[in-house]
Amino acid sequence: MPPEDNQIPLLSDQDSDQDVAYESGEKVHIVGINELDEEGSLVVPPFSWKKLWLFTGPGFLMSIAFLDPGNLEGDLQAGATAGYSLLWLLMWATAMGLLVQLLAARLGVATGRHLAELCREEYPTWARMVLWVMAEMALIGADIQEVIGSAIAIKILSNGALPLWAGVVITACDCFIFLFLENYGVRKLEAFFAVLIATMAASFAWMFGETIPSGTELLLGILVPKLSSKTIRQAVGVVGCIIMPHNVFLHSALVQSREIDRSKKGRVQEALNYYSIESTVALIISFIINLFVTTVFAKAFYGTKLASSIGLVNAGQYLQEKYGGGLFPILYIWGIGLLAAGQSSTITGTYAGQFIMGGFLNLRLKKWLRALITRSFAIIPTIIVALIFDTSEAALDVLNEWLNVLQSIQIPFALIPLLCLVSKEQIMGTFKIGLVLKTVAWLVAAMVIVINGYLLLYFFSSEVTGVMFTSVVCAFMGAYLTFIIYLVSRGFTLSAWHCSVPSKQTQGIE
C-alpha cells in the first residue's frame, strides 16, 4: 500500500479500491472448501450436517426484520381487530418474504457482490443516487420504529423511571455492542442474535401459555382464508410489513460471510442449498413467534372496545390489566420480548446501513466510522421524535402510520432491481432464475407493490387535504411512477458490457 494511504486513518486497510462486504480473513471457513472434487467441479457435494451448521447464521440475521417492533405492532393490531382470521395471510406473506430473501441470497452467492454494489455498477449515476437515497430513507424509517420500540420496552421495564428519550439514547449505544462483537468474528455476532431470537421466542411463548388461545380457531385461521371489508386494512398491513427494503440489501451481503469457491458450480449450488434450508428454518421460527403475538391479542381483545386503540405503547398495560398476577407479570414478559425485538433489529439495521452506504457509494471507511454515521442518521431524528411525542400515545400511532407509508414507498426500489439483476445471465451466469421462478417472483413482487399501493392510496386519501398539499403529493406520485417504469424498462435493456465485472466472476461457473 502506498505510504500516503497510511496517512488516512479513516480509510479501511484493504488493498482493493472496491468496497467489499467481508474481507477474506473475516469469512467463515467451510470444511472441504479447498479439497479437490473427485467427480469434477459440476458435482454438488453430499449433504453434511456439519456444513449446514457452518452455513447457519445469515438467514437468522435476515429473519429479525420479520420480528421487529413494527411487525409486532402489526401482529397485535391484526389479532385485536381481526381475531384469528388473518393467520392464513400471515403464513403466505411470510412465504412470499422467503422467496424474495432467497433470491437476494442467490444474487449474493452467485456473483460475490451484494445488491447495493451491483446497483452501483448497473445503473447510471443519477438513478444510482436516487436508489441510494430511497434505501437510506427506508432504513431510517425502519430504524426509528425499532429504536422507539426498544425505548418503549425500556420504559416498561423501568416502571416509567426512564422516559422515551432516555431509552432512545440507551438504544443508540447498541452500535458499540455491534462493533465489539464484530471484532470477535461473524460467528460470535450470529450467536448473539440467536440469543435475542430465543429470548423473543421464550417471552411470547410464555404469553401464549398464559392466555391460552383457542387451538381450533388458530388452526382454522391458518387453513381457511377469510377476508372482510372490516379487516382489509389490517390485511394490507400484515403483507406490507413483511418485506423490508433494507433487508433485501442486507441478506445479499450476509451470505458472503462464508468462504465459497465460485470457480466450481457444484460448490456454489451447495451454498445455495444450505442457505435455502437455514433461511426457511429461520422464517418458520419467525412465523411461529408472530403467530404467538397475533393469537395472544386475538384471545385477549378481539371483539372488545379496546381493540381499536391498542398499540406498542399500551399493549403491555392492557395485557397486565386482563391477565395480571402469575409467577411473573405479563407486562414485563411483554417488555422483555419487545426489548429483544427492538435491540436485535436496530443492530441489524446498523449492519444493513453499512452495506447500503458502502455498496452504493463505494466508501472505504473504517467500520466503526461507517456504523457511527449510519446510527446517527436514525438516532438524531428519533430523539427529536421521542421528545415531541413522549406524552402522546395517539401521536406515536400517527407517526408509526407515516413511517409505514415511508417504507411502503421504498419497496419497489429494492424488489425491481433485485428481480432484474437475478434474471440476467451476464450477471448470474448459469444461476440466473428460470422462466417459471421468474414469473412467480414478478407476480409476488407485483402483488406486494399493488398491496402497498393500496395502503398508500388509502392513507393519502384520508390524510391529504388542501390544494397545495394535494398538488405536491400528485407531482411526487407522478415522478414516483415514472421512476418505477424506468427501473422495469431498464431491467429489460441491461447490456452485457455494463456487466463486465460480474461476468468475470461468473465465467468460471458457466
Side-chain angles (χ1 to χ4, degrees):
M1 184 177 290
E4 59 268 24
D5 288 349
N6 293 329
Q7 298 173 7
I8 308 177
L10 296 185
L11 289 179
S12 64
D13 298 326
Q14 63 197 54
D15 295 327
S16 173
D17 290 334
Q18 297 292 320
D19 181 78
V20 293
Y22 295 92
E23 300 290 343
S24 59
E26 298 175 326
K27 295 185 178 183
V28 176
H29 176 72
I30 303 300
V31 176
I33 190 69
N34 296 319
E35 292 178 0
L36 295 176
D37 295 318
E38 296 180 359
E39 300 180 22
S41 62
L42 299 180
V43 177
V44 179
F47 178 81
S48 164
W49 287 104
K50 186 174 183 179
K51 282 189 180 180
L52 177 60
W53 171 248
L54 291 173
F55 276 104
T56 297
F60 283 87
L61 266 68
M62 168 273 294
S63 73
I64 287 170
F66 290 69
L67 299 167
D68 70 356
N71 275 280
L72 297 184
E73 184 163 37
D75 292 338
L76 65 88
Q77 289 175 343
T81 57
Y84 301 86
S85 64
L86 296 181
L87 294 179
W88 65 275
L89 189 59
L90 175 63
M91 179 180 69
W92 284 106
T94 304
M96 290 191 294
L98 174 62
L99 173 61
V100 171
Q101 296 302 150
L102 289 180
L103 292 178
R106 189 183 190 92
L107 181 72
V109 171
T111 65
R113 306 179 73 76
H114 57 79
L115 180 58
E117 291 175 315
L118 290 170
C119 285
R120 184 184 75 233
E121 296 172 356
E122 300 303 323
Y123 292 97
T125 302
W126 71 270
R128 179 176 75 239
M129 295 307 292
V130 172
L131 288 173
W132 172 63
V133 170
M134 290 298 184
E136 291 288 358
M137 288 177 63
L139 180 60
I140 291 170
D143 219 1
I144 290 175
Q145 286 182 312
E146 293 156 3
V147 172
I148 290 292
S150 288
I152 291 171
I154 291 171
K155 188 175 182 179
I156 290 172
L157 296 174
S158 67
N159 282 321
L162 293 174
L164 208 59
W165 67 266
V168 170
V169 173
I170 293 172
T171 304
C173 297
D174 63 15
C175 67
F176 298 106
I177 298 174
F178 160 73
L179 290 170
F180 173 77
L181 290 171
E182 194 178 31
N183 286 333
Y184 286 91
V186 174
R187 296 297 276 175
K188 301 292 190 302
L189 186 66
E190 291 169 350
F192 175 71
F193 284 110
V195 171
L196 292 177
I197 293 174
T199 301
M200 279 186 271
S203 299
F204 299 135
W206 183 305
M207 291 170 54
F208 185 86
E210 288 276 320
T211 57
I212 314 178
S214 169
T216 301
E217 291 188 64
L218 188 155
L219 287 175
L220 288 175
I222 293 175
L223 299 175
V224 181
K226 290 181 183 178
L227 195 61
S228 67
S229 58
K230 294 180 180 180
T231 60
I232 186 68
R233 189 178 179 188
Q234 284 69 38
V236 169
V238 167
V239 177
C241 65
I242 283 294
I243 296 179
M244 308 287 282
H246 72 273
N247 207 37
V248 179
F249 290 97
L250 175 64
H251 199 200
S252 66
L254 290 175
V255 294
Q256 294 173 45
S257 61
R258 270 57 178 176
E259 187 181 357
I260 300 170
D261 186 352
R262 291 184 179 82
S263 66
K264 299 176 182 177
K265 180 180 176 182
R267 293 295 184 180
V268 176
Q269 187 60 56
E270 176 189 40
L272 290 175
N273 293 344
Y274 285 125
Y275 280 135
S276 297
I277 295 171
E278 68 112 14
S279 296
T280 302
V281 172
L283 288 194
I284 288 174
I285 293 173
S286 75
F287 168 70
I288 293 172
I289 293 174
N290 284 315
L291 186 75
F292 285 156
V293 176
T294 303
T295 52
V296 163
F297 284 88
K299 168 69 174 180
F301 302 109
Y302 179 58
T304 67
K305 294 180 180 180
L306 297 174
S308 61
S309 62
I310 291 181
L312 282 182
V313 178
N314 54 25
Q317 192 59 48
Y318 285 171
L319 283 171
Q320 182 65 22
E321 291 172 0
K322 193 173 184 69
Y323 299 101
L327 179 63
F328 200 64
I330 197 169
L331 170 65
Y332 298 120
I333 296 294
W334 166 252
I336 291 170
L338 181 59
L339 182 62
Q343 286 295 315
S344 59
S345 55
T346 52
I347 298 175
T348 54
T350 301
Y351 217 6
Q354 290 193 77
F355 294 132
I356 290 172
M357 180 181 292
F360 275 109
L361 304 182
N362 195 26
L363 292 179
R364 297 174 56 224
L365 297 175
K366 290 286 189 180
K367 288 188 176 181
W368 66 266
L369 180 61
R370 198 184 301 175
L372 188 61
I373 294 173
T374 302
R375 175 53 63 233
S376 299
F377 279 164
I379 290 300
I380 293 174
T382 306
I383 291 177
I384 296 172
V385 165
L387 289 171
I388 295 174
F389 297 119
D390 193 13
T391 57
S392 175
E393 293 179 7
L396 275 176
D397 289 339
V398 171
L399 172 68
N400 190 58
E401 288 184 5
W402 277 97
L403 292 174
N404 285 337
V405 168
L406 176 64
Q407 292 176 79
S408 296
I409 289 173
Q410 316 304 328
I411 286 178
F413 306 131
L415 282 185
I416 294 174
L418 172 66
L419 295 184
C420 291
L421 292 170
V422 84
S423 304
K424 291 296 176 182
E425 185 174 0
Q426 298 96 331
I427 295 172
M428 298 292 293
T430 58
F431 291 99
K432 71 170 185 175
I433 57 176
L435 180 61
V436 175
L437 182 55
K438 182 178 179 180
T439 303
V440 172
W442 275 105
L443 287 175
V444 167
M447 186 184 305
V448 171
I449 292 172
V450 168
I451 288 173
N452 281 278
Y454 173 86
L455 175 63
L456 295 176
L457 184 63
Y458 179 91
F459 181 80
F460 284 125
S461 64
S462 60
E463 295 291 332
V464 176
T465 56
V467 177
M468 182 175 294
F469 195 18
T470 302
S471 300
V472 171
V473 170
C474 289
F476 169 78
M477 293 305 294
Y480 176 76
L481 293 174
T482 301
F483 189 57
I484 289 177
I485 293 171
Y486 166 79
L487 290 177
V488 174
S489 62
R490 175 81 181 181
F492 292 102
T493 57
L494 285 176
S495 57
W497 70 270
H498 278 151
C499 309
S500 58
V501 174
S503 294
K504 291 177 182 178
Q505 293 178 333
T506 54
Q507 280 175 354
I509 59 176
E510 289 182 297

